[in-house]
Amino acid sequence: MSFTLDRRTALRGMVNGMAVAVGLPLLDIFLDGNGTAMAATGAPMPIRFGTWFWGLGVNPPRWFPSAAGKDYELKVELASIEALKHKVNILGDFTLPLDGKPNLPHISGGIGIRTGIAIDSDRGLPGPSFDVSIGDVIGTRTRFRSIELSATGDPRNSLSGRGNGNLNPAEVSPAALYTRLFGAGFHDPNSATFTPDPAVMARRSVLSGVTDQRQALEARLGAADRQRLDQYFTSLRQLENQLDVQLTKPAPMQACVVPPKVPDLPVNAEIENVMRNHEIMTDLLVMAMACDNVRLFNMNFNNGASSLTRVGSTITHHQLTHEEVLDNRLGYQPEVTFYVDKCMEAWTYFIKAMDAVKEGDRTLLDNSLVFAHSETEFAKFHTIDNIPMMTAGSAGGRIHTGQYITGDGSPVSRVGLTLQQAMGVPVDRWGTGSLETNKIIPGLIV
Amino acid sequence: MSGPFRRRARGALLAGLLLSACTVEKAPQTAATPEASFAPMKAPLGQVAGMRRLTEAQYRNSIADIFGPDIKVAGRFEPIVRPVHELIATGASASTISPAGLEQFDAMARNIAAQVFAEDRRSQFMPCTPRDAAAPDADCAARTLMPIGRYLFRRPMTQEEIGAFVMMAGKGAGDGQGFYDGMQLALAAMLVSPQFLYIIESAEPDPEAAGSLRLDNYARAARLSYLLWNTTPNEALLRAADEGRLTDPAQLAAIAQKMVRSPRLEDGVRAFFADMLLFEKFDEMAKDQIVYPRFNPDVASALSEQMLRMIVDQLVTRQGDYRELFTTRRTFINRALGPLYQAKVSSMQGWVPYEFGDGDDRAGLLGQAGFLALYSHSGRSSPTLRGRAIRELLLCQPVPNPPGNVNFTAVQDVGNKAMPTARIRLNAHNSDPVCAACHKITDPLGLPLERFDGIGAFRRTENDAPIDTAGVFEGTAFQGNVGLGQALAASKSTTECVAGRAFQYATGRMPEDEEATAMALEQGFAADGYRIQALFLRVATMADAYRVSTPPLPKPQVAMMTSPHIREGDRP
């Protein structure tokens, strides 16, 4: 393995500071002829799924392409994705019927898209978000089932969870994220040797000891509490799985390079800090995926009613959307649009970072499906039909890319259903009330 | 399993400590208390009537009380979702633990267990020394884990539980790791057990009412302790539960009365108001450094503490009338807050009492910079946000969300010389009847606070125009914050609201759903002169709060723990 060592040493020199987007190809020797499977084991390259959320929507006429179809036109607010346009789909004109329930501003939209349920009062997620269902299929064989991130510093800024008050809290500190991903417990998949850690084995047995308490407790529970306890034990089982993974020698992942440590940085809603934290978190997450420590993620760039601010401004992004004048000459709110542009700039950084990791003749982005969305169409009026959505990556060839797809007013739950099916979730009908659907988006799935 | 556990004679020291010597109750009772008597649970565990997840503060307080304040709890707590217009305490009754949250609890548990059984500390928690430090010792493990488990699970462990944790300790010690590594593992397992992470309230048949259930003694101990002190039951409470005294109304009342008089009530009152006033919002509060150069992280962290100190001083230390919380001129400041209040505090002083002058518009809870800053924008004040917070948090009157399609044209231009003050801008905005309906509810309560800017600093003018602080509440006109405080103090809604919140906080039930009980509580609160201790005492001793409405289980109760040999895994 001296070759690997040399290559890695060289890489470390290249990876200066935070930027760890690695452009090095997975050497063919490690892959089969098509670069889709590991030659050593024959196992297929892992397919990853994740969501990327931004709050407060866009200026629809400046963002949505004018016509549906392939090779869509890029409007000014999406101009930054130009280089990766062929790997991105734009989704528009889907609706979120509320069945007479109130439109809870900044809440109904994001939760509706993720759960297929129009909520009637805000008690957190009313049911499982679909990323969790996808994680049940693709996330069980990695050290982390999923990683949730919030670049604005609030752990409650998350749209992922199993419902019933369960929310996967988001990591808010890049330094803490580094420790979680690459601190104690991280095994370099390219290391020649592997020794199971006795401490991990001991912890594994401790957790199974806790699992043994399940029956005794369940026998004493009513139905509602039993459901909550089931969720606790599901979490426990997941933690046990993570430890099982750590007791197994990982398959080599040639793009995997342990990134350098991350310093403690200010974590708050100030836009320049958010941009920086998002970039660092992205780089760490991308490397955790390149090392196959995680295959599922939820990145929250800002929050629903966005609290983003910038130095010298008296109000937040959210307040601006309501209070800033719609400039008659421009046709949009210039201050608000500053933040829209920042969101799209961050999104572009994210997919470029994923695309910079080579896996054979593909990239990490190609082997992934990333679903990006907001919670509002046009924030000034809290509109929730035609909420902007995108996908990036082809999920290893399962998804067509490079098109603008319109839903023609059909329910947005079709998106969740289609993405779940693309990722192998055995579900043919999804959503409740008017959001219930069995119609996937045919143009999306290969 | 080692030999039978013998119930040791009760120590006179502890019995004395229990409920008489209030002053020493502030000191933590650790599991190492030498005279404590411990035995496995004899009666079968009852039906679970409620499960509430520990809050971060409750977790920290419990660990500090059981193992001592020098044990560090390092980690990130999964937040409990607050249902809209409700308390985190009610959210905790519906909250479960996510995989990421459990990962954190697991890391914390290992870290705490390592500290407890570290060489320099372990003797505090161990009544025995292992025969051979390099090998398992079931007897010593059991004698050590039983008292710890009794504190962590807030009841004696069952024989099966003890057996399981002792076996874990033995397995952990067996691989050449040594006795203390095994103990660490067993303790870590207890700390991630749902028995610890959830306050599990269990019920027993009610002898007074055939066929119905009531909370059992240990559930009552936990209820009292977390309600009144925001921490785990101490030895005194567990002992009272051991002896079945907490199902006796008279004894329950006597014990609750002593707890309410204890200085530890301060912790309970802090937790209650932090929940009622949405203090988690302080974590997200952002102020613009250019607009408010006097604002910095020290100021930010002092704001919530100032409010809590003022609340505790008025309601606990002075045993004052709740209504005076809105009019009192007494507060506390520290050096960080000095410039904001234009007061001098030397760096040596720390927190010092401070009294606002008679001519000052500062008084009461609403004159605290924390409240004023929390309900403002990042760069300016907001009469609407402040008014809404007063309505929702202090009067329990939910305000509807703004309609989706809002025209803010009139309020948007804060630099407009023609509309220099928030009042003028809001008046223009409210020419739209759709908006006016809600602003009529919020703004008359927020505009009187306009002499305080977005971080709560005093000002006389906005854009060089004088600020009009006239307000109206329940038909009475007044001026400024002082007038607003007096109006709130005079309102029945203010006292009804806090009484209802206390009921909800203690029981997880909504006062609107149980009007008779809530009304009786409010009347009692009035009869007690609106003293918060008396309110908490009533809530803690209401027979109604201990009744269990859970329908009976479909199958017979089983209190057995599964054999540790049987591996779980066939369940999803």
Side-chain angles (χ1 to χ4, degrees), chain A residues 44-200:
Chain A
M45 284 302 295
I47 305 300
R48 293 77 161 196
F49 179 83
T51 66
W52 195 93
F53 175 84
W54 83 98
L56 297 185
V58 295
N59 294 301
R62 290 165 46 86
W63 192 87
F64 284 101
S66 306
K70 286 286 263 185
D71 198 26
Y72 54 88
E73 162 206 16
L74 270 187
K75 291 284 180 69
V76 55
E77 284 176 14
L78 261 181
S80 60
I81 68 164
E82 172 87 56
L84 287 175
K85 185 185 147 189
H86 60 296
K87 298 192 179 187
V88 174
N89 290 315
I90 313 296
L91 306 174
D93 202 14
F94 288 90
T95 57
L96 212 165
L98 296 174
D99 293 339
K101 293 168 190 163
N103 176 5
L104 305 175
H106 312 294
I107 294 169
S108 298
I111 289 181
I113 289 175
R114 290 289 181 93
T115 62
I117 301 172
I119 58 165
D120 46 15
S121 73
D122 185 18
R123 298 181 68 99
L125 293 172
S129 57
F130 72 76
D131 57 286
V132 167
S133 310
I134 291 172
D136 288 344
V137 176
I138 67 164
T140 58
R141 301 186 59 79
T142 46
R143 184 167 154 237
F144 301 101
R145 172 101 144 205
S146 69
I147 294 288
E148 279 69 40
L149 301 161
S150 166
T152 49
D154 176 9
R156 293 175 191 81
N157 182 18
S158 168
L159 284 172
S160 171
R162 290 189 186 271
N164 290 316
N166 170 287
L167 186 75
N168 290 327
E171 192 73 67
V172 297
S173 145
L177 176 66
Y178 180 90
T179 307
R180 193 162 158 214
L181 293 176
F182 298 105
F186 176 78
H187 280 294
D188 188 339
N190 301 322
S191 163
T193 56
F194 176 79
T195 321
D197 183 348
V200 173

Side-chain angles (χ1 to χ4, degrees), chain A residues 111-334:
Chain A
I111 289 181
I113 289 175
R114 290 289 181 93
T115 62
I117 301 172
I119 58 165
D120 46 15
S121 73
D122 185 18
R123 298 181 68 99
L125 293 172
S129 57
F130 72 76
D131 57 286
V132 167
S133 310
I134 291 172
D136 288 344
V137 176
I138 67 164
T140 58
R141 301 186 59 79
T142 46
R143 184 167 154 237
F144 301 101
R145 172 101 144 205
S146 69
I147 294 288
E148 279 69 40
L149 301 161
S150 166
T152 49
D154 176 9
R156 293 175 191 81
N157 182 18
S158 168
L159 284 172
S160 171
R162 290 189 186 271
N164 290 316
N166 170 287
L167 186 75
N168 290 327
E171 192 73 67
V172 297
S173 145
L177 176 66
Y178 180 90
T179 307
R180 193 162 158 214
L181 293 176
F182 298 105
F186 176 78
H187 280 294
D188 188 339
N190 301 322
S191 163
T193 56
F194 176 79
T195 321
D197 183 348
V200 173
M201 293 163 75
R203 279 174 64 205
R204 178 69 180 75
S205 76
V206 159
L207 295 185
S208 37
V210 177
T211 307
D212 288 335
Q213 298 169 33
R214 180 176 189 151
Q215 284 183 5
L217 196 46
E218 275 199 339
R220 303 167 54 211
L221 285 177
D225 287 327
R226 183 174 301 204
Q227 198 180 17
R228 294 170 59 211
L229 197 72
D230 280 348
Q231 288 176 357
Y232 166 90
F233 280 109
T234 303
S235 298
L236 190 71
R237 183 78 200 119
Q238 197 163 317
L239 197 52
E240 288 181 84
N241 273 337
Q242 287 175 211
L243 295 179
D244 287 344
V245 168
Q246 290 189 56
L247 294 170
T248 318
K249 181 172 178 6
M253 297 295 295
Q254 294 304 304
C256 171
V257 180
V258 183
K261 268 207 151 156
V262 171
D264 271 315
L265 294 164
V267 173
N268 55 38
E270 203 274 290
I271 183 68
E272 291 311 325
N273 291 333
V274 174
M275 293 299 279
R276 188 165 176 209
N277 284 339
H278 171 262
E279 286 177 13
I280 297 170
M281 286 175 155
T282 298
D283 293 345
L284 294 175
L285 173 69
V286 162
M287 201 34 71
M289 286 192 281
C291 298
D292 202 27
N293 272 218
V294 66
R295 295 178 187 176
L296 182 75
F297 65 84
N298 291 287
M299 168 67 89
N300 301 283
F301 175 70
N302 57 341
N303 41 338
S306 167
S307 52
L308 290 175
T309 65
R310 62 167 154 168
V311 173
S313 163
T314 59
I315 53 178
T316 60
H317 181 194
H318 171 228
Q319 206 61 27
L320 270 172
T321 61
H322 294 309
E323 299 192 3
E324 192 187 3
V325 195
L326 201 68
D327 186 306
N328 284 333
R329 191 178 47 83
L330 295 172
Y332 57 88
Q333 300 159 291

Side-chain angles (χ1 to χ4, degrees), chain B residues 23-331:
Chain B
T23 45
V24 291
E25 280 170 9
K26 191 78 187 166
Q29 304 236 343
T30 75
T33 309
E35 303 295 329
S37 82
F38 304 100
M41 191 91 162
K42 289 192 188 69
L45 295 169
Q47 177 181 343
V48 175
M51 272 173 59
R52 264 178 301 160
R53 218 206 80 190
L54 283 185
T55 64
E56 174 169 354
Q58 288 169 349
Y59 186 106
R60 289 182 182 280
N61 292 346
S62 302
I63 295 298
D65 278 1
I66 295 170
F67 299 113
D70 57 329
I71 300 285
K72 287 189 183 62
V73 177
R76 192 168 46 79
F77 284 78
E78 173 169 14
I80 295 174
V81 176
R82 172 192 290 281
V84 164
H85 303 313
E86 292 178 33
L87 299 171
I88 285 181
T90 35
S93 326
S95 176
T96 179
I97 295 173
S98 74
L102 192 62
E103 197 185 307
Q104 292 291 329
F105 280 128
D106 176 54
M108 280 187 263
R110 282 181 287 132
N111 193 282
I112 291 166
Q115 295 176 65
V116 167
F117 288 108
E119 201 170 350
D120 58 345
R121 211 183 255 122
R122 60 176 68 130
S123 64
Q124 293 175 44
F125 304 103
M126 298 193 53
C128 50
T129 33
R131 286 184 306 269
D132 174 1
D137 180 339
D139 181 61
C140 186
R143 286 170 61 196
T144 305
L145 293 175
M146 275 173 73
I148 291 177
R150 178 166 167 271
Y151 284 115
L152 288 175
F153 295 176
R154 308 161 199 104
R155 58 163 173 79
M157 291 196 286
T158 64
Q159 195 78 41
E160 290 77 13
E161 284 168 336
I162 296 163
F165 288 114
V166 165
M167 184 170 292
M168 259 181 242
K171 270 161 80 178
D175 305 332
Q177 305 290 307
F179 177 81
Y180 295 104
D181 289 295
M183 295 299 283
Q184 277 188 36
L185 278 179
L187 176 56
M190 287 181 183
L191 288 167
V192 291
S193 165
Q195 308 280 0
F196 172 65
L197 296 176
Y198 287 97
I199 302 164
I200 295 178
E201 295 194 319
S202 80
E204 62 185 18
D206 186 349
E208 309 280 303
S212 59
L213 296 172
R214 63 178 189 187
L215 288 192
D216 72 15
N217 268 276
Y218 294 107
R220 286 164 189 243
R223 172 77 71 87
L224 288 172
S225 187
Y226 283 104
L227 168 67
L228 300 176
W229 292 354
N230 205 37
T231 191
T232 199
N234 65 2
E235 181 54 35
L237 272 169
L238 288 175
R239 185 72 56 107
D242 287 337
E243 291 163 2
R245 286 190 270 129
L246 297 177
T247 36
D248 177 308
Q251 299 207 50
L252 175 83
I255 288 168
Q257 199 145 46
K258 290 203 163 124
M259 291 181 72
V260 160
R261 286 196 203 125
S262 149
R264 298 207 77 174
L265 183 70
E266 179 180 329
D267 294 320
V269 167
R270 276 175 167 255
F272 170 71
F273 281 98
D275 194 345
M276 177 169 157
L277 299 175
L278 271 52
F279 269 32
E280 75 271 18
K281 286 170 77 82
F282 276 109
D283 298 340
E284 309 162 28
M285 187 173 73
K287 296 295 169 187
D288 194 290
Q289 294 284 315
I290 288 180
V291 186
Y292 300 117
R294 276 188 289 191
F295 196 82
N296 60 46
D298 290 340
V299 174
S301 65
L303 290 179
S304 56
E305 179 62 22
Q306 181 190 32
M307 290 176 78
L308 290 175
R309 278 178 186 263
M310 184 236 187
I311 289 168
V312 163
D313 179 63
Q314 170 63 23
L315 301 182
V316 182
T317 315
R318 296 175 187 273
Q319 303 189 23
D321 187 318
Y322 176 70
R323 296 171 299 181
E324 287 169 14
L325 191 59
F326 301 94
T327 56
T328 178
R329 295 190 172 273
R330 283 186 300 269
T331 188

